[in-house]
Amino acid sequence: MIKDDLSKIVSQAREKILSSVDSNVLNDIRVAVLGKKGELTSILKGMKDVPEDERPKVGALVNDARKAIEDALCEKRKALEALELSRRLSREKIDVTLPARRLRKGHPHPNTLALSEIRKIFTGMGYEVVDGPDIELDYYNFEALNIPKGHPAKDEQDTFYINKEILLRTQTSGVQVRQMEKRKPPIRMIAPGRVFRADEVDATHSPVFHQVEGMVIDKGIRFSDLKGTLEGFAKKLFGEETRVKFRPHHFPFTEPSAEMDVSCFKCGGKGCRFCKGEGWIEILGCGMMHPKVLSMSGVDPDEYTGFAFGLGLERIALLKYEIDDMRLLYENDTRFLSQF
Amino acid sequence: MRTSFEWIRSMVPGLTEDPKEYSDRMTMFGQKVEFFTDLSKDLEKIVVGQIVSITPHQDSDHLCICRVDVGQEEPIQIVTGASNMKENDKVPVVLDGGRVAGGHDGTKTEGGIKIKKGKLRGVESFGMMCSIEELGSSRDLFPDAPEDGLYILPSDAPVGCDAVKYLGLDDKVIEYEITGNRVDCFSVLGIAREAACAFSLPFKPALINETGVNGNCADDISVTIENDELCKRFVAREIRNVKIGPSPEWMQKRLRSQGIRPINNIVDITNYVMEEYGQPMHSYDYDQIAGKKIIVRNAKDGESFTTLDGEEHKLDPDMLLICDGEKPVGLAGIMGGENSMITDNVTTVLFEAATFDGTNIRKSAKRLGMRTEASGMFEKGLDPNNAILAMNRACALVEEMGAGEVVAGTVDVYKEKKEPVTIPFEPERYNEFLGTDISADEIASYFEAEELSVDREKKLVTIPTFRQDLLCFADLAEEVARFFGYDRIPVTALKGVTLSGGISEKDEVLDIARNSAFSYGFSEAMCFSFESPKVYDKLLLSEDDERRNAIKIMNPLGEDYSIMRTQTVNSMLESLSLNSSRRNPDARLFELGKTYIAKALPLSELPDERDIFTLGFYGEGDFFVMKGVVLDFLESAGIRGDIVFDPDSNNPFLHPGRKAEIKLSGESLGFLGEVHPTVLSSYGIRERSYIACVDIEKVLLNRDSSVRYEAIGNFPASTRDLSLDVPKGITAGEIEAVFKKYGTKNLESFSLFDVYEGEQVREGRKSMAYSIVFRAPDRSLSDDDVNTAIEKILKGLSDIGVELRK
């Protein structure tokens, strides 16, 4: 009798479980069948009417029934969960091509970008990065660099003066002198900095611009070392395939002096609009430290030799990033700056 | 500097290279060629023609028909609109299929204009007769050409010959960038000497014949130099029976190639010699020289003088004058006087070749506002020994050209003769210096090629005086380098000790500033260091504001760029303004730049240059965004102490209720705030804008970049929320100061989670809600611990009128 009841309960429950479509219904079934007032529980309550010796057998039957129902519930629940998950996943499909949400980061100035490349190359070779004042004594800007009084380069039309002795530096080369006064060789340094020339603002001129000065002093420094160093620099800055050319030139504070051209990094030297058909682009001035400059700053030219170089930061930035108007560098239009 | 290629080749006869090859080699030898111009560019099939007949054109008032003999079997027919020619005139004729450089109005056409036979108003024309402009030249260089019309050639021009060649337009003009140290190369002779060296060819300058017949120059003129500092040498010679006339074609051609207009034989000779030798010369009308004497002296204060261009000048005592027995006759080294200038009627000429002090001439010319070709040369500092060579060359040309009779003898006042210097011959040292291995013989041969003499025994090199640039071993090493070839010098790696290198602490902090700014969307600006003194008023700075004490530039580009900035706010506002005016919807900018603060004015020592981190923005965001960037930077830079934002900040360009001084232990590191609306409108910025400035030096002094780990508390925290009833004038900073003061050592952190004003809050009060966290490192806090702390805090708050909300 009980056995029949049980199998009926199980089969009915199974039927309900199989046909249910959500987990709440499963829960109702669980309560209705297995709960405190559930069908199975009421059968257990009727155990007291079962003869003592049959009770274990009946108990086992009830347990089997419970297990069967629980298994069915569990199985169905898993199936429902899987179904629900797959529904949710398909419901939650997004259009991955919609625009990204990004933190809007700021951008470096092209000068800074160029300088950080240059700085990286030279600090990697053991150069120290130093600086000097923008407002400088005539002595450091001219005289100690072998540009004596009366030299045309000192003419007012090129140099901004504060008074007879104090001026806005026209070159970073004065830092060479300050460093030689400050420390003993060996010295390897670069000195980026702001310089000033009395040029009206136009597409290729600015009264304010930046240079990077470099200087090496040690025993036995040769012109060939200068060539090696700067060729290495050019290859790192513009690419391994870059070729360099040193042309004789004149600067009062170096002797011999040279200008360095690099093969055009746009056309590789074939000649293009960018290098004006030359295949070469002038990049920097350099030379062996003039013995007079060394001795004026307290370095014995019979014991030490050295080389120095200077390049225009804006020139590098304009070339590297193909900027065709220098004025853009100082306008600070965010549409320009955000490209770097 | 420019030279005629033909002239160079005349002195370096073996030179066969074309102008391009020549230019490349000269550049690598140290005389950089900027470019070269082919005077015959776009000129083709142009011959000398002679007009046989001129007949009017039936169908045109302004055209006529010419028959022109161009050296062919039959004259050709040419229709022309010109009217300045007559029968038998000789003219340049471009034949059918030829080419001219441009139009007769002087405009040049790229690639030239092709001339083809055709019909003009029905009459056939087989070519074109040319103006000087159509030949690519100008009336400047061919002064005998008419203003509008055909260029009429001399009557002896051979019919049918190449007119381009005949006019000297078959030359190339080479333009060099001569460096300031090579004064000798500002002359055709100097360049030719370099060219001979560069191509290892013999150098053959024109030989100078001895000149002079009859008489003695010294009987006719005396020269006295009163200031031998400013006039090192004065050479004078006399030419009698001068016959003024045109100079020969060859000379005119060369002068034209040099860009000089031929005038007459005497003037042309002095110009020619100046080009050839780089020595300016002057010619006086001898008969105008009073007292047969020349005196070189300083001008008297206020003395006036009329130069040969008719301009009168007021002089000062630093200027040098050439005078005769009575009056000034020339502004030394700049320009001669009207009173002694050469006219067509001159019979006796006095030539001057002098050496003046370069600096003095430059300054005088500048003060007078008259930089002439001569002064430009003297400025460079000329070799006095060159003066006599130039003089003798000029006299030789006079004889050669039959322009007059050169009187024998020379008056030459030359007190301190410039002697050649000798420096040691040190081939090993050059090699060591250059990293080369060149034999002493080869080095000696380089030197000798450029006229240095080498004494191998005494190991000395004698430097001729025209090479003022050679003074020490390094100078000679450069000569070795360029003769050997810069491109042949080896490429070596630096030897010697390795140095660690690296960047300074300041650069590190600047990089931290950049990174903080980048992460908040600020892009890097760069601004000028100078600005207008008007910005102080724009920034509402009071009359006694220290920031008005700016350093002034003596010779600025204009008032707008005349003072060194003492603050960076103006630059930032200008940049924001530019973005705003260009309708950029928002802008976030920062600048790492300097201010220049004088220790005292006028400046007697170098000023302080302060690196300032300036931030500015408009668009999305408010004061607290700016505050966040500033705090983020300070924290990243290693500022560990309590940073206080003090609303008492003396920056009148900021909104009075939205500004703060950024303070660390009472010291200001900078400020931030919203820009004052009045200031915004004077900069034309439409949007609310925010600005912050931090002094990098202060950050450097206060930073502690060491990082230490602090144990994470294992014991639970106790959190209490306080809802406070606060008088409106009390700031969060004041309340938080109370938390810090009374919160006991167990106070871990606090945060403001609500501020409210309005309904349910009494008039003049606001509600602020804080969450306060307590934690002890070694135990769980009891309620009593926390209550004690809270009570202390509340007591402290009640002192400033803050109560718990009821």
Side-chain angles (χ1 to χ4, degrees):
Chain A
M1 225 293 282
I2 285 180
K3 199 178 167 183
D4 290 348
D5 286 349
L6 280 174
S7 60
K8 196 177 160 199
I9 287 169
V10 169
S11 67
Q12 278 175 351
R14 272 197 173 135
E15 209 169 303
K16 279 185 191 158
I17 287 166
L18 278 176
S19 63
S20 68
V21 289
D22 77 61
S23 50
N24 292 336
V25 177
L26 285 184
N27 221 26
D28 292 348
I29 296 168
R30 167 189 281 280
V31 172
V33 181
L34 304 176
K36 273 181 189 166
K37 290 173 184 164
E39 292 172 57
L40 213 57
T41 317
S42 55
I43 286 187
L44 274 178
K45 279 176 185 160
M47 277 289 263
K48 57 182 185 299
D49 304 331
V50 176
E52 193 114 358
D53 56 333
E54 278 183 35
R55 277 185 195 167
K57 204 179 158 200
V58 173
L61 282 174
V62 171
N63 278 341
D64 286 349
R66 170 180 284 274
K67 180 149 193 324
I69 292 166
E70 273 177 350
D71 285 353
L73 275 170
C74 184
E75 201 177 318
K76 183 63 184 180
R77 177 161 281 129
K78 274 185 187 155
L80 279 178
E81 272 170 7
L83 185 70
E84 212 153 294
L85 182 64
S86 89
R87 276 197 193 128
R88 179 180 143 201
L89 290 179
S90 75
R91 200 170 57 238
E92 287 179 354
K93 184 176 157 86
I94 57 167
D95 176 359
V96 294
T97 65
L98 285 173
R101 271 189 289 272
R102 306 172 62 181
L103 265 185
R104 214 182 58 182
K105 286 176 72 172
H107 298 263
H109 192 275
N111 279 352
T112 303
L113 207 56
L115 176 59
S116 66
E117 286 196 51
I118 295 166
R119 215 167 70 167
K120 202 164 65 192
I121 295 170
F122 282 105
T123 51
M125 298 193 284
Y127 286 62
E128 192 171 333
V129 183
V130 298
D131 64 2
D134 291 359
I135 302 185
E136 182 57 288
L137 294 172
D138 182 279
Y139 176 78
Y140 288 104
N141 195 65
F142 289 126
E143 213 160 323
L145 292 167
N146 200 24
I147 306 172
K149 286 208 164 61
H151 195 283
K154 291 185 66 171
D155 210 315
E156 248 199 349
Q157 63 183 10
D158 304 311
T159 310
F160 291 118
Y161 282 93
I162 304 296
N163 59 41
K164 265 170 94 178
E165 265 82 46
I166 300 176
L167 45 76
L168 303 191
R169 65 174 170 183
T170 59
Q171 49 192 9
T172 43
S173 308
V175 187
Q176 291 179 23
V177 180
R178 288 184 172 274
Q179 289 294 313
M180 282 189 282
E181 286 179 352
K182 211 154 105 183
R183 58 179 72 191
K184 293 239 161 306
I187 302 173
R188 287 185 195 181
M189 64 108 192
I190 60 166
R194 178 166 279 210
V195 299
F196 305 84
R197 302 252 172 108
D199 285 324
E200 293 286 348
V201 180
D202 65 27
T204 54
H205 294 89
S206 168
V208 175
F209 58 103
H210 297 79
Q211 288 185 336
V212 183
E213 191 76 15
M215 178 175 76
V216 170
I217 302 179
D218 202 347
K219 289 178 178 155
I221 299 289
R222 301 160 297 174
F223 192 84
S224 56
D225 299 329
L226 158 74
K227 280 185 72 175
T229 302
L230 294 178
E231 183 176 314
F233 162 69
K235 283 179 183 294
K236 283 189 182 124
L237 190 63
F238 297 114
E240 266 316 304
E241 64 293 342
T242 306
R243 286 166 293 122
V244 299
K245 183 166 83 179
F246 289 85
R247 281 181 289 104
H249 198 68
H250 171 71
F251 303 107
F253 37 94
T254 52
E255 188 78 25
S257 304
E259 278 182 334
M260 186 175 85
D261 297 342
V262 296
S263 53
C264 178
F265 39 84
K266 298 293 170 209
C267 66
K270 290 194 286 285
C272 64
R273 174 190 61 83
F274 203 69
C275 55
K276 299 190 185 77
E278 296 285 327
W280 295 96
I281 294 173
E282 186 186 317
I283 278 303
L284 56 78
C286 56
M288 298 299 286
M289 300 282 296
H290 198 293
K292 244 168 122 177
V293 172
L294 289 174
S295 62
M296 265 191 284
S297 304
V299 176
D300 181 359
D302 291 327
E303 192 180 354
Y304 291 103
T305 52
F307 63 76
F309 55 89
L311 54 88
L313 191 56
E314 276 80 358
R315 185 170 169 73
I316 303 282
L318 296 185
L319 285 171
K320 259 197 99 122
Y321 313 124
E322 296 186 49
I323 303 165
D324 55 8
D325 191 330
M326 198 158 170
R327 284 169 290 207
L328 290 167
L329 297 177
Y330 293 93
E331 274 181 0
N332 305 321
D333 189 321
T334 50
R335 290 168 302 174
F336 170 76
L337 294 173
S338 62
Q339 296 179 34
F340 300 95
Chain B
M1 177 70 197
R2 55 150 71 168
T3 70
S4 144
F5 193 42
E6 178 274 327
W7 202 347
I8 296 291
R9 280 202 289 212
S10 77
M11 289 193 237
V12 190
L15 191 60
T16 52
E17 277 72 9
D18 68 27
K20 171 85 175 94
E21 292 162 338
Y22 171 80
S23 302
D24 289 347
R25 176 73 191 121
M26 288 299 275
T27 296
M28 287 308 287
F29 193 64
Q31 306 307 340
K32 185 179 180 189
V33 172
E34 303 258 35
F35 57 90
F36 61 87
T37 319
D38 185 348
L39 296 182
S40 67
K41 187 170 182 284
D42 303 326
L43 300 181
E44 274 171 47
K45 292 178 87 171
I46 300 171
V47 298
V48 175
Q50 185 166 28
I51 300 168
V52 179
S53 65
I54 307 174
T55 50
H57 192 294
Q58 302 292 353
D59 296 329
S60 167
D61 294 340
H62 68 278
L63 293 178
C64 56
I65 304 159
C66 300
R67 293 185 60 76
V68 185
D69 178 3
V70 291
Q72 297 170 356
E73 274 175 34
E74 286 290 317
I76 60 170
Q77 176 170 294
I78 296 175
V79 179
T80 181
S83 57
N84 66 319
M85 66 289 175
K86 54 187 191 307
E87 284 178 8
N88 290 324
D89 274 350
K90 289 181 177 171
V91 289
V93 175
V94 53
L95 302 173
D96 177 32
R99 201 179 286 273
V100 293
H104 62 75
D105 57 353
T107 54
K108 286 188 184 167
T109 308
E110 189 54 44
I113 300 167
K114 187 129 186 162
I115 302 300
K116 281 184 280 196
K117 67 177 175 191
K119 281 184 180 172
L120 275 146
R121 295 270 174 113
V123 179
E124 284 200 299
S125 183
F126 294 88
M128 183 178 84
M129 297 184 284
C130 306
S131 67
I132 200 66
E133 288 81 11
E134 284 161 335
L135 297 179
S137 190
S138 68
R139 291 185 65 229
D140 243 3
L141 300 179
F142 290 87
D144 55 335
E147 195 169 331
D148 184 18
L150 304 180
Y151 182 52
I152 310 296
L153 297 168
S155 57
D156 59 357
V159 170
C161 84
D162 182 343
V164 171
K165 206 163 181 175
Y166 179 79
L167 290 171
L169 295 175
D170 54 340
D171 203 357
K172 319 281 183 290
V173 177
I174 320 277
E175 198 78 40
Y176 310 83
E177 180 196 330
I178 304 294
T179 56
N181 59 330
R182 289 302 300 273
V183 179
D184 61 306
C185 286
F186 287 96
S187 67
V188 178
L189 198 88
I191 299 269
R193 186 188 286 117
E194 286 285 304
C197 291
F199 292 95
S200 307
L201 290 169
F203 175 48
K204 301 256 194 252
L207 289 175
I208 304 174
N209 300 318
E210 284 239 7
T211 47
V213 289
N214 303 329
N216 183 357
C217 178
D219 295 338
D220 298 334
I221 194 80
S222 73
V223 173
T224 313
I225 299 175
E226 287 186 2
N227 186 338
D228 49 26
E229 280 292 304
L230 299 187
C231 177
K232 304 218 160 49
R233 188 177 197 177
F234 195 107
V235 183
R237 289 195 74 175
E238 183 189 353
I239 319 292
R240 284 184 195 153
N241 297 324
V242 170
K243 290 184 277 294
I244 294 287
S247 55
E249 273 305 316
W250 64 265
M251 180 176 274
Q252 292 197 21
K253 283 180 191 171
R254 283 184 180 169
L255 286 175
R256 282 190 198 110
S257 289
Q258 297 290 117
I260 293 170
R261 159 197 197 129
I263 295 169
N264 63 44
N265 46 7
I266 293 295
V267 176
D268 288 358
I269 285 171
T270 54
N271 283 338
Y272 186 85
V273 170
M274 166 142 115
E275 294 299 304
E276 189 173 34
Y277 279 81
Q279 167 69 51
M281 291 189 62
H282 187 65
S283 37
Y284 301 91
D285 183 340
Y286 175 77
D287 295 319
Q288 307 304 321
I289 303 292
K292 295 185 173 185
K293 55 171 114 168
I294 291 283
I295 298 159
V296 185
R297 63 157 171 90
N298 287 62
K300 296 180 187 105
D301 203 4
E303 195 168 356
S304 72
F305 180 65
T306 305
T307 43
L308 53 77
D309 55 5
E311 295 283 324
E312 190 180 331
H313 303 277
K314 279 265 175 286
L315 310 181
D316 65 50
D318 288 333
M319 296 171 179
L320 200 63
L321 276 176
I322 312 296
C323 306
D324 63 12
E326 293 168 358
K327 59 185 185 297
V329 290
L331 256 177
I334 301 174
M335 197 181 272
E338 194 175 38
N339 53 19
S340 58
M341 65 190 268
I342 303 289
T343 61
D344 285 348
N345 305 320
V346 72
T347 56
T348 307
V349 163
L350 190 70
F351 272 157
E352 163 201 303
T355 314
F356 301 109
D357 178 72
T359 308
N360 178 263
I361 297 292
R362 178 167 59 86
K363 288 185 172 164
S364 298
K366 194 168 176 185
R367 279 203 302 284
L368 291 166
M370 49 185 310
R371 241 176 136 254
T372 59
E373 195 138 353
S375 77
M377 281 306 301
F378 281 118
E379 275 179 14
K380 303 178 201 310
L382 301 181
D383 172 19
N385 292 332
N386 198 29
I388 190 76
L389 302 176
M391 175 61 84
N392 290 339
R393 171 68 166 151
C395 292
L397 286 168
V398 168
E399 284 193 353
E400 201 181 307
M401 287 159 47
E405 289 166 23
V406 180
V407 175
T410 305
V411 174
D412 183 1
V413 184
Y414 188 15
K415 193 174 159 199
E416 234 174 281
K417 184 167 166 39
K418 188 167 179 186
E419 299 290 351
V421 294
T422 53
I423 43 183
F425 179 64
E426 305 167 289
E428 307 80 22
R429 194 174 182 190
Y430 312 143
N431 277 322
E432 257 170 52
F433 193 53
L434 298 173
T436 49
D437 184 19
I438 309 167
S439 74
D441 287 344
E442 192 169 345
I443 290 174
S445 79
Y446 296 160
F447 291 170
E448 277 155 1
E450 54 176 348
E451 300 176 32
L452 318 186
S453 50
V454 182
D455 186 333
R456 295 291 292 275
E457 222 156 83
K458 290 186 185 152
K459 294 192 157 75
L460 287 175
V461 188
T462 304
I463 314 294
T465 54
F466 64 80
R467 287 303 298 273
Q468 301 175 16
D469 60 312
L470 303 180
L471 299 164
C472 68
F473 88 91
D475 298 324
L476 289 180
E478 179 169 79
E479 297 306 297
V480 175
R482 68 192 191 103
F483 270 84
F484 181 71
Y486 274 39
D487 47 346
R488 288 173 65 205
I489 293 174
V491 172
T492 55
L494 273 185
K495 287 182 300 206
V497 289
T498 321
L499 302 169
S500 57
I503 65 170
S504 66
E505 191 187 354
K506 188 181 92 183
D507 282 344
E508 245 173 70
V509 170
L510 295 179
D511 282 349
I512 292 171
R514 275 191 189 97
N515 286 329
S516 296
F518 292 155
S519 64
Y520 282 84
F522 287 75
S523 288
E524 186 174 12
M526 281 204 187
C527 305
F528 282 3
S529 308
F530 31 64
E531 57 196 13
S532 164
K534 287 182 183 145
V535 308
Y536 307 135
D537 292 339
K538 254 173 125 179
L539 294 175
L540 310 175
L541 297 186
S542 65
E543 283 305 320
D544 58 354
D545 195 298
E546 278 183 356
R547 285 167 283 200
R548 285 184 182 259
N549 302 330
I551 298 160
K552 289 186 185 64
I553 298 169
M554 247 165 61
N555 55 329
L557 284 182
E559 204 205 2
D560 284 353
Y561 302 122
S562 64
I563 57 155
M564 299 304 288
R565 63 181 186 176
T566 55
Q567 39 65 40
T568 55
V569 176
N570 171 63
S571 312
M572 180 53 74
L573 291 175
E574 292 283 1
S575 301
L576 291 178
S577 165
L578 177 128
N579 280 283
S580 171
S581 72
R582 294 189 181 170
R583 311 268 163 183
N584 291 338
D586 51 15
R588 289 190 173 193
L589 294 171
F590 73 96
E591 190 206 356
L592 291 162
K594 287 176 171 180
T595 59
Y596 305 86
I597 312 296
K599 290 169 190 141
L601 283 174
L603 217 55
S604 56
E605 57 178 314
L606 295 185
D608 278 339
E609 297 186 5
R610 298 190 189 152
D611 289 274
I612 307 292
F613 179 29
T614 310
L615 295 134
F617 77 88
Y618 67 77
E620 201 188 314
D622 59 14
F623 179 94
F624 299 100
V625 167
M626 190 59 103
K627 187 173 172 181
V629 193
V630 168
L631 279 173
D632 191 76
F633 160 60
L634 293 175
E635 207 168 274
S636 309
I639 298 296
R640 297 271 183 262
D642 271 345
I643 297 157
V644 173
F645 290 82
D646 183 351
D648 183 15
S649 168
N650 174 30
N651 288 303
F653 43 83
L654 296 178
H655 187 306
R658 297 182 173 189
K659 66 185 166 88
E661 205 70 15
I662 307 159
K663 285 185 170 169
L664 182 74
S665 323
E667 184 190 15
S668 171
L669 305 180
F671 59 82
L672 82 163
E674 183 175 321
V675 180
H676 196 293
T678 309
V679 176
L680 276 184
S681 76
S682 41
Y683 281 87
I685 304 173
R686 286 180 301 270
E687 301 83 354
R688 282 180 187 266
S689 300
Y690 301 86
I691 204 157
C693 291
V694 179
D695 188 332
I696 294 292
E697 182 67 28
K698 299 272 175 59
V699 173
L700 277 168
L701 287 173
N702 289 295
R703 71 193 289 250
D704 171 8
S705 55
S706 63
V707 176
R708 282 176 308 271
Y709 158 73
E710 271 177 33
I712 301 163
N714 276 330
F715 292 90
S718 297
T719 304
R720 295 291 166 91
D721 288 351
L722 293 183
S723 183
L724 301 173
D725 177 2
V726 183
K728 225 170 171 178
I730 295 291
T731 64
E734 287 167 294
I735 291 173
E736 287 163 15
V738 171
F739 293 167
K740 286 177 197 162
K741 190 168 172 192
Y742 296 105
T744 74
K745 62 180 192 309
N746 295 327
L747 173 72
E748 186 178 76
S749 64
F750 49 81
S751 61
L752 178 68
F753 63 85
D754 187 45
V755 184
Y756 177 75
E757 279 175 58
E759 279 177 55
Q760 294 151 12
V761 178
R762 282 183 291 157
E763 184 72 20
R765 311 283 293 185
K766 60 187 169 185
S767 149
M768 297 175 90
Y770 276 94
S771 180
I772 307 180
V773 182
F774 297 90
R775 195 197 301 266
D778 51 354
R779 66 196 163 92
S780 293
L781 289 172
S782 67
D783 275 356
D784 279 353
D785 292 330
V786 177
N787 290 343
T788 314
I790 291 289
E791 266 162 41
K792 282 184 184 171
I793 287 173
L794 289 176
K795 188 166 175 304
L797 287 175
S798 74
D799 291 346
I800 55 169
V802 176
E803 299 155 20
L804 266 184
R805 275 196 83 183
K806 309 231 160 67

